[in-house]
Each structure stands twice: as structure tokens, then as C-alpha cells.
Amino acid sequence: QVRLQESGPGLVKPSQTLSLTCTVSGDSITTDYVSWSWIRQPPGEGLEWMGVISYSGSTYYSPSLKRRASISRDTSKNQFTLQLSSVTPEDTAVYYCAAKYGLETNRDSYDYWGQGTQVTVSS
């Protein structure tokens, strides 16, 4: 049973760095051919893919967030982390972590999702 759970602050001040952690249970984040993504949904908007870290540790980011986003992992804790710098109120959203099994990285669906965590950027 693969489970993902987001954690981190629910309120962040503008210009600061948002840091969220996804804790994975039921499988290792180093399992072959699995990718681990961060996705967000601003209020009233659709899902926005932010970036991904692969089972090998390779990362890739949405072009619009490439300058500000960083994804890392701690394999000993089976966690991966999103850092988003210089946040503004436009970064207010529900943030999800999700997993995709296999090399079909272009498909829309994800195999597992976290429950999501609300992050509000406000002074």
C-alpha cells in the first residue's frame, strides 16, 4: 500500500522560501522506473505540474518555475522535498505530491497521490 503525505507550513510570507516534504510509505523512492512529482492547484484553477524527481535522483521542472523551484530527496527517510523561493500570493495553492510508475512519463494520470496540503502566501 503506497501512501504519500505532504507536510510543511500552511502559511508563508511573501519573499520567503516555501519548503514542503512528501513522506512515502509502502515503497522506496528509489524503486526503478518511478517518478515523484509536485503538483499544485491554485484556487479556482486547474492542476499545475511543478517538477519531478526520478528514482535515480534526476530532476526536471516546469519552465515557468525552473528558476525558483528545487526538488531534493532524502533516501534514508524515504522523503522528497520541494523548495520554492521568492513566493508571492500567486503561489497560494493546494500542493500535492504524486507518484507515477513506469517510463510512460507523458501520460496524464498518476498512480498515487497525497491528500494535498493548503499553502497560503500572505503577510
Side-chain angles (χ1 to χ4, degrees):
Q1 181 82 303
V2 179
R3 295 170 62 92
L4 295 82
Q5 186 170 42
E6 304 89 348
S7 61
L11 181 64
V12 184
K13 294 182 178 180
S15 81
Q16 294 188 336
T17 296
L18 167 66
S19 182
L20 296 174
T21 295
C22 183
T23 300
V24 178
S25 62
D27 200 6
S28 172
I29 60 174
T30 63
T31 295
D32 286 355
Y33 311 125
V34 184
S35 59
W36 308 88
S37 291
W38 285 100
I39 301 147
R40 68 180 181 181
Q41 185 171 34
E45 301 182 21
L47 296 170
E48 178 187 19
W49 178 79
M50 302 182 69
V52 60
I53 186 164
S54 78
Y55 64 96
S56 68
S58 300
T59 55
Y60 185 80
Y61 305 98
S62 169
S64 64
L65 297 171
K66 185 181 301 182
R67 186 167 178 263
R68 298 194 293 130
S70 179
I71 299 173
S72 59
R73 67 180 183 175
D74 185 337
T75 57
S76 69
K77 297 180 179 179
N78 216 37
Q79 296 176 330
F80 62 103
T81 298
L82 168 71
Q83 291 189 298
L84 186 66
S85 66
S86 303
V87 298
T88 74
E90 292 185 352
D91 294 310
T92 294
V94 177
Y95 285 74
Y96 300 91
C97 53
K100 185 177 294 184
Y101 279 66
L103 295 176
E104 299 173 338
T105 56
N106 292 331
R107 61 182 167 94
D108 290 335
S109 62
Y110 292 85
D111 297 293
Y112 300 98
W113 290 80
Q115 65 183 13
T117 186
Q118 172 70 49
V119 177
T120 300
V121 180
S122 176
S123 60

